[in-house]
Amino acid sequence: MGLFGKIFGKEEKKESCCCEMEIVELSEGDTAAPCDCGDACAAPGTESTTLTVLGPGCKRCHQLHENAQAAASKADGSVDVEYVTDPVAIAEAGIMSTPALLVNGKVVSQGKVLAPEEIAELL
């Protein structure tokens, strides 16, 4: 429980994903079934890329988001684009300069607006 939760008596609720990792030994001939949770889990063999734009909502952040959407629309595979303006989430990602771009959770750019062509190269 965080400091404010202790003061005001609110509890933080932690949700777990239905796809928590579990080590399972398979015998020969067995195949693993894909997750049926309906979330962003992908079946084996299918790849989904997630572009995440982090920023407070300024003009440069919006421009990077638009460029990411343009690059995603031209991409061959499945590409999702997210836009995060939550300052806590930005700090937790270790971002010191916005706008920032993450590809599958990995920081690839901070403090500049990438062109759609540059973003497409990262995919």
Side-chain angles (χ1 to χ4, degrees), residues 19 39 55 62 67 79 92 120:
C19 300
D39 290 335
H62 285 292
N67 291 352
V79 180
E92 286 177 352

Side-chain angles (χ1 to χ4, degrees), residues 1-119:
M1 186 180 305
L3 175 63
F4 292 109
K6 289 179 183 176
I7 293 173
F8 297 109
K10 294 183 181 179
E11 293 184 28
E12 292 180 16
K13 295 180 182 178
K14 293 185 179 181
E15 294 183 23
S16 63
C17 178
C18 67
C19 300
E20 292 180 4
M21 294 183 69
E22 179 180 332
I23 298 174
V24 178
E25 293 184 25
L26 298 175
S27 61
E28 280 188 50
D30 288 347
T31 58
C35 178
D36 61 347
C37 68
D39 290 335
C41 301
T46 60
E47 293 184 25
S48 176
T49 304
T50 303
L51 294 175
T52 307
V53 177
L54 301 173
C58 62
K59 182 178 178 181
R60 292 169 37 110
C61 299
H62 285 292
Q63 183 62 49
L64 181 60
H65 183 241
E66 290 173 10
N67 291 352
Q69 288 177 328
S73 67
K74 293 178 183 176
D76 294 336
S78 172
V79 180
D80 298 320
V81 180
E82 300 174 346
Y83 187 28
V84 178
T85 58
D86 181 27
V88 175
I90 295 170
E92 286 177 352
I95 303 301
M96 301 300 287
S97 179
T98 58
L101 180 67
L102 282 67
V103 177
N104 291 334
K106 181 181 175 189
V107 179
V108 294
S109 172
Q110 290 188 53
K112 68 179 193 174
V113 178
L114 299 175
E117 296 79 24
E118 293 174 309
I119 297 171

